[in-house]
PDB file of all heavy atoms in Angstrom:
ATOM      1  N   ALA A   2      80.470 121.746 117.307  1.00 94.00           N
ATOM      2  CA  ALA A   2      81.035 122.932 118.028  1.00 94.00           C
ATOM      3  C   ALA A   2      80.870 122.879 119.475  1.00 94.00           C
ATOM      4  O   ALA A   2      79.896 122.360 119.998  1.00 94.00           O
ATOM      5  CB  ALA A   2      80.405 124.178 117.409  1.00 94.00           C
ATOM      6  N   ILE A   3      81.816 123.479 120.193  1.00 93.00           N
ATOM      7  CA  ILE A   3      81.737 123.740 121.612  1.00 93.00           C
ATOM      8  C   ILE A   3      81.779 125.209 121.801  1.00 93.00           C
ATOM      9  O   ILE A   3      82.517 125.941 121.212  1.00 93.00           O
ATOM     10  CB  ILE A   3      82.947 123.097 122.348  1.00 93.00           C
ATOM     11  CG1 ILE A   3      82.786 121.548 122.252  1.00 93.00           C
ATOM     12  CG2 ILE A   3      82.962 123.521 123.809  1.00 93.00           C
ATOM     13  CD1 ILE A   3      83.953 120.805 122.934  1.00 93.00           C
ATOM     14  N   TYR A   4      80.842 125.683 122.745  1.00 93.00           N
ATOM     15  CA  TYR A   4      80.702 127.153 122.948  1.00 93.00           C
ATOM     16  C   TYR A   4      81.025 127.500 124.433  1.00 93.00           C
ATOM     17  O   TYR A   4      80.844 126.616 125.280  1.00 93.00           O
ATOM     18  CB  TYR A   4      79.303 127.587 122.612  1.00 93.00           C
ATOM     19  CG  TYR A   4      78.826 127.273 121.234  1.00 93.00           C
ATOM     20  CD1 TYR A   4      78.104 126.105 120.991  1.00 93.00           C
ATOM     21  CD2 TYR A   4      79.157 128.081 120.175  1.00 93.00           C
ATOM     22  CE1 TYR A   4      77.681 125.775 119.719  1.00 93.00           C
ATOM     23  CE2 TYR A   4      78.706 127.799 118.862  1.00 93.00           C
ATOM     24  CZ  TYR A   4      77.982 126.609 118.680  1.00 93.00           C
ATOM     25  OH  TYR A   4      77.616 126.272 117.296  1.00 93.00           O
ATOM     26  N   ARG A   5      81.380 128.689 124.658  1.00 89.00           N
ATOM     27  CA  ARG A   5      81.673 129.143 126.024  1.00 89.00           C
ATOM     28  C   ARG A   5      80.327 129.674 126.592  1.00 89.00           C
ATOM     29  O   ARG A   5      79.529 130.315 125.885  1.00 89.00           O
ATOM     30  CB  ARG A   5      82.634 130.350 126.031  1.00 89.00           C
ATOM     31  CG  ARG A   5      84.044 130.001 125.572  1.00 89.00           C
ATOM     32  CD  ARG A   5      85.018 131.171 125.641  1.00 89.00           C
ATOM     33  NE  ARG A   5      86.326 130.892 125.160  1.00 89.00           N
ATOM     34  CZ  ARG A   5      86.709 130.980 123.934  1.00 89.00           C
ATOM     35  NH1 ARG A   5      85.895 131.413 123.037  1.00 89.00           N
ATOM     36  NH2 ARG A   5      87.920 130.665 123.608  1.00 89.00           N
ATOM     37  N   GLY A   6      80.081 129.345 127.842  1.00 85.00           N
ATOM     38  CA  GLY A   6      78.887 129.832 128.517  1.00 85.00           C
ATOM     39  C   GLY A   6      77.627 129.133 128.016  1.00 85.00           C
ATOM     40  O   GLY A   6      77.642 128.166 127.258  1.00 85.00           O
ATOM     41  N   GLU A   7      76.489 129.674 128.432  1.00 84.00           N
ATOM     42  CA  GLU A   7      75.186 129.210 128.125  1.00 84.00           C
ATOM     43  C   GLU A   7      74.552 129.958 126.957  1.00 84.00           C
ATOM     44  O   GLU A   7      74.694 131.178 126.848  1.00 84.00           O
ATOM     45  CB  GLU A   7      74.281 129.168 129.323  1.00 84.00           C
ATOM     46  CG  GLU A   7      74.779 128.322 130.463  1.00 84.00           C
ATOM     47  CD  GLU A   7      74.804 126.831 130.094  1.00 84.00           C
ATOM     48  OE1 GLU A   7      73.924 126.407 129.292  1.00 84.00           O
ATOM     49  OE2 GLU A   7      75.682 126.135 130.610  1.00 84.00           O
ATOM     50  N   ALA A   8      73.763 129.259 126.140  1.00 81.00           N
ATOM     51  CA  ALA A   8      73.103 129.913 125.044  1.00 81.00           C
ATOM     52  C   ALA A   8      71.937 130.752 125.521  1.00 81.00           C
ATOM     53  O   ALA A   8      71.156 130.365 126.385  1.00 81.00           O
ATOM     54  CB  ALA A   8      72.593 128.840 123.991  1.00 81.00           C
ATOM     55  N   ALA A   9      71.787 131.970 124.918  1.00 80.00           N
ATOM     56  CA  ALA A   9      70.658 132.810 125.247  1.00 80.00           C
ATOM     57  C   ALA A   9      69.436 132.365 124.495  1.00 80.00           C
ATOM     58  O   ALA A   9      69.583 131.755 123.418  1.00 80.00           O
ATOM     59  CB  ALA A   9      70.970 134.277 124.903  1.00 80.00           C
ATOM     60  N   PRO A  10      68.197 132.584 125.020  1.00 84.00           N
ATOM     61  CA  PRO A  10      67.007 132.210 124.260  1.00 84.00           C
ATOM     62  C   PRO A  10      66.950 132.891 122.886  1.00 84.00           C
ATOM     63  O   PRO A  10      67.235 134.073 122.720  1.00 84.00           O
ATOM     64  CB  PRO A  10      65.907 132.744 125.206  1.00 84.00           C
ATOM     65  CG  PRO A  10      66.452 132.820 126.573  1.00 84.00           C
ATOM     66  CD  PRO A  10      67.916 133.196 126.347  1.00 84.00           C
ATOM     67  N   GLY A  11      66.656 132.056 121.881  1.00 82.00           N
ATOM     68  CA  GLY A  11      66.577 132.596 120.544  1.00 82.00           C
ATOM     69  C   GLY A  11      67.928 132.945 119.943  1.00 82.00           C
ATOM     70  O   GLY A  11      67.996 133.771 118.996  1.00 82.00           O
ATOM     71  N   GLU A  12      68.993 132.406 120.403  1.00 86.00           N
ATOM     72  CA  GLU A  12      70.334 132.666 119.933  1.00 86.00           C
ATOM     73  C   GLU A  12      70.420 132.422 118.426  1.00 86.00           C
ATOM     74  O   GLU A  12      70.074 131.304 117.979  1.00 86.00           O
ATOM     75  CB  GLU A  12      71.382 131.970 120.716  1.00 86.00           C
ATOM     76  CG  GLU A  12      72.826 132.250 120.315  1.00 86.00           C
ATOM     77  CD  GLU A  12      73.812 131.444 121.169  1.00 86.00           C
ATOM     78  OE1 GLU A  12      73.707 130.250 121.197  1.00 86.00           O
ATOM     79  OE2 GLU A  12      74.644 132.084 121.782  1.00 86.00           O
ATOM     80  N   ASP A  13      71.103 133.348 117.663  1.00 89.00           N
ATOM     81  CA  ASP A  13      71.253 133.121 116.224  1.00 89.00           C
ATOM     82  C   ASP A  13      72.697 132.713 115.977  1.00 89.00           C
ATOM     83  O   ASP A  13      73.540 132.586 116.853  1.00 89.00           O
ATOM     84  CB  ASP A  13      70.885 134.362 115.436  1.00 89.00           C
ATOM     85  CG  ASP A  13      71.688 135.591 115.821  1.00 89.00           C
ATOM     86  OD1 ASP A  13      72.687 135.441 116.547  1.00 89.00           O
ATOM     87  OD2 ASP A  13      71.268 136.693 115.434  1.00 89.00           O
ATOM     88  N   ALA A  14      73.022 132.562 114.686  1.00 88.00           N
ATOM     89  CA  ALA A  14      74.337 132.086 114.263  1.00 88.00           C
ATOM     90  C   ALA A  14      75.446 133.134 114.637  1.00 88.00           C
ATOM     91  O   ALA A  14      76.559 132.716 114.980  1.00 88.00           O
ATOM     92  CB  ALA A  14      74.348 131.810 112.793  1.00 88.00           C
ATOM     93  N   THR A  15      75.099 134.405 114.561  1.00 89.00           N
ATOM     94  CA  THR A  15      76.109 135.401 114.890  1.00 89.00           C
ATOM     95  C   THR A  15      76.490 135.340 116.387  1.00 89.00           C
ATOM     96  O   THR A  15      77.639 135.391 116.731  1.00 89.00           O
ATOM     97  CB  THR A  15      75.621 136.766 114.580  1.00 89.00           C
ATOM     98  OG1 THR A  15      75.270 136.895 113.160  1.00 89.00           O
ATOM     99  CG2 THR A  15      76.593 137.865 114.874  1.00 89.00           C
ATOM    100  N   ALA A  16      75.505 135.186 117.216  1.00 90.00           N
ATOM    101  CA  ALA A  16      75.759 135.026 118.652  1.00 90.00           C
ATOM    102  C   ALA A  16      76.518 133.761 119.023  1.00 90.00           C
ATOM    103  O   ALA A  16      77.389 133.803 119.829  1.00 90.00           O
ATOM    104  CB  ALA A  16      74.421 135.069 119.399  1.00 90.00           C
ATOM    105  N   ARG A  17      76.229 132.709 118.276  1.00 89.00           N
ATOM    106  CA  ARG A  17      76.981 131.480 118.498  1.00 89.00           C
ATOM    107  C   ARG A  17      78.447 131.606 118.079  1.00 89.00           C
ATOM    108  O   ARG A  17      79.317 131.149 118.724  1.00 89.00           O
ATOM    109  CB  ARG A  17      76.369 130.341 117.660  1.00 89.00           C
ATOM    110  CG  ARG A  17      75.020 129.832 118.139  1.00 89.00           C
ATOM    111  CD  ARG A  17      74.631 128.548 117.466  1.00 89.00           C
ATOM    112  NE  ARG A  17      73.259 128.206 117.673  1.00 89.00           N
ATOM    113  CZ  ARG A  17      72.278 128.436 116.809  1.00 89.00           C
ATOM    114  NH1 ARG A  17      72.548 128.952 115.562  1.00 89.00           N
ATOM    115  NH2 ARG A  17      70.999 128.153 117.072  1.00 89.00           N
ATOM    116  N   ALA A  18      78.654 132.354 116.963  1.00 90.00           N
ATOM    117  CA  ALA A  18      80.047 132.515 116.522  1.00 90.00           C
ATOM    118  C   ALA A  18      80.833 133.256 117.565  1.00 90.00           C
ATOM    119  O   ALA A  18      82.066 133.082 117.733  1.00 90.00           O
ATOM    120  CB  ALA A  18      80.042 133.281 115.182  1.00 90.00           C
ATOM    121  N   ALA A  19      80.202 134.247 118.299  1.00 90.00           N
ATOM    122  CA  ALA A  19      80.907 135.048 119.286  1.00 90.00           C
ATOM    123  C   ALA A  19      81.326 134.126 120.459  1.00 90.00           C
ATOM    124  O   ALA A  19      82.329 134.423 121.190  1.00 90.00           O
ATOM    125  CB  ALA A  19      80.037 136.154 119.767  1.00 90.00           C
ATOM    126  N   ARG A  20      80.500 133.097 120.791  1.00 92.00           N
ATOM    127  CA  ARG A  20      80.812 132.202 121.894  1.00 92.00           C
ATOM    128  C   ARG A  20      81.618 130.975 121.461  1.00 92.00           C
ATOM    129  O   ARG A  20      81.904 130.116 122.288  1.00 92.00           O
ATOM    130  CB  ARG A  20      79.475 131.742 122.607  1.00 92.00           C
ATOM    131  CG  ARG A  20      78.675 132.820 123.218  1.00 92.00           C
ATOM    132  CD  ARG A  20      77.552 132.309 124.050  1.00 92.00           C
ATOM    133  NE  ARG A  20      76.688 131.354 123.399  1.00 92.00           N
ATOM    134  CZ  ARG A  20      76.637 130.015 123.633  1.00 92.00           C
ATOM    135  NH1 ARG A  20      77.417 129.486 124.473  1.00 92.00           N
ATOM    136  NH2 ARG A  20      75.767 129.266 122.950  1.00 92.00           N
ATOM    137  N   PHE A  21      81.927 130.886 120.229  1.00 93.00           N
ATOM    138  CA  PHE A  21      82.561 129.689 119.674  1.00 93.00           C
ATOM    139  C   PHE A  21      83.950 129.451 120.312  1.00 93.00           C
ATOM    140  O   PHE A  21      84.798 130.361 120.379  1.00 93.00           O
ATOM    141  CB  PHE A  21      82.722 129.842 118.181  1.00 93.00           C
ATOM    142  CG  PHE A  21      83.361 128.692 117.459  1.00 93.00           C
ATOM    143  CD1 PHE A  21      82.819 127.450 117.471  1.00 93.00           C
ATOM    144  CD2 PHE A  21      84.559 128.861 116.746  1.00 93.00           C
ATOM    145  CE1 PHE A  21      83.415 126.360 116.833  1.00 93.00           C
ATOM    146  CE2 PHE A  21      85.173 127.795 116.118  1.00 93.00           C
ATOM    147  CZ  PHE A  21      84.568 126.548 116.142  1.00 93.00           C
ATOM    148  N   GLN A  22      84.153 128.228 120.867  1.00 93.00           N
ATOM    149  CA  GLN A  22      85.351 127.903 121.540  1.00 93.00           C
ATOM    150  C   GLN A  22      86.223 126.978 120.724  1.00 93.00           C
ATOM    151  O   GLN A  22      87.468 127.059 120.705  1.00 93.00           O
ATOM    152  CB  GLN A  22      85.080 127.259 122.855  1.00 93.00           C
ATOM    153  CG  GLN A  22      86.285 126.761 123.678  1.00 93.00           C
ATOM    154  CD  GLN A  22      85.926 126.116 124.963  1.00 93.00           C
ATOM    155  OE1 GLN A  22      84.811 126.296 125.485  1.00 93.00           O
ATOM    156  NE2 GLN A  22      86.785 125.283 125.486  1.00 93.00           N
ATOM    157  N   GLY A  23      85.609 126.063 120.025  1.00 94.00           N
ATOM    158  CA  GLY A  23      86.362 125.060 119.235  1.00 94.00           C
ATOM    159  C   GLY A  23      85.415 123.965 118.742  1.00 94.00           C
ATOM    160  O   GLY A  23      84.149 124.120 118.832  1.00 94.00           O
ATOM    161  N   VAL A  24      85.973 122.892 118.230  1.00 95.00           N
ATOM    162  CA  VAL A  24      85.196 121.772 117.756  1.00 95.00           C
ATOM    163  C   VAL A  24      85.731 120.464 118.217  1.00 95.00           C
ATOM    164  O   VAL A  24      86.983 120.333 118.348  1.00 95.00           O
ATOM    165  CB  VAL A  24      85.088 121.731 116.214  1.00 95.00           C
ATOM    166  CG1 VAL A  24      84.250 122.865 115.672  1.00 95.00           C
ATOM    167  CG2 VAL A  24      86.470 121.687 115.554  1.00 95.00           C
ATOM    168  N   VAL A  25      84.908 119.513 118.473  1.00 94.00           N
ATOM    169  CA  VAL A  25      85.314 118.095 118.677  1.00 94.00           C
ATOM    170  C   VAL A  25      85.024 117.420 117.336  1.00 94.00           C
ATOM    171  O   VAL A  25      84.134 117.814 116.569  1.00 94.00           O
ATOM    172  CB  VAL A  25      84.584 117.439 119.826  1.00 94.00           C
ATOM    173  CG1 VAL A  25      85.077 117.983 121.159  1.00 94.00           C
ATOM    174  CG2 VAL A  25      83.048 117.557 119.680  1.00 94.00           C
ATOM    175  N   PHE A  26      85.707 116.339 117.097  1.00 94.00           N
ATOM    176  CA  PHE A  26      85.541 115.655 115.827  1.00 94.00           C
ATOM    177  C   PHE A  26      85.814 114.165 115.969  1.00 94.00           C
ATOM    178  O   PHE A  26      86.557 113.726 116.876  1.00 94.00           O
ATOM    179  CB  PHE A  26      86.414 116.255 114.719  1.00 94.00           C
ATOM    180  CG  PHE A  26      87.870 116.104 114.978  1.00 94.00           C
ATOM    181  CD1 PHE A  26      88.594 114.947 114.549  1.00 94.00           C
ATOM    182  CD2 PHE A  26      88.643 117.106 115.657  1.00 94.00           C
ATOM    183  CE1 PHE A  26      89.974 114.792 114.823  1.00 94.00           C
ATOM    184  CE2 PHE A  26      89.986 116.906 115.910  1.00 94.00           C
ATOM    185  CZ  PHE A  26      90.622 115.801 115.485  1.00 94.00           C
TER     186      PHE A  26
END
């Protein structure tokens, strides 16, 4: 996965899903 912005400390799966931009494969 590629995400928008920087990850916050202790980020969980829900927060990652909100920043989800797409996937490389």
Side-chain angles (χ1 to χ4, degrees):
I3 293 179
Y4 304 95
R5 296 182 182 89
E7 297 297 328
E12 183 180 54
D13 59 12
T15 302
R17 291 193 192 99
R20 296 191 305 110
F21 180 61
Q22 176 182 339
V24 292
V25 290
F26 64 87

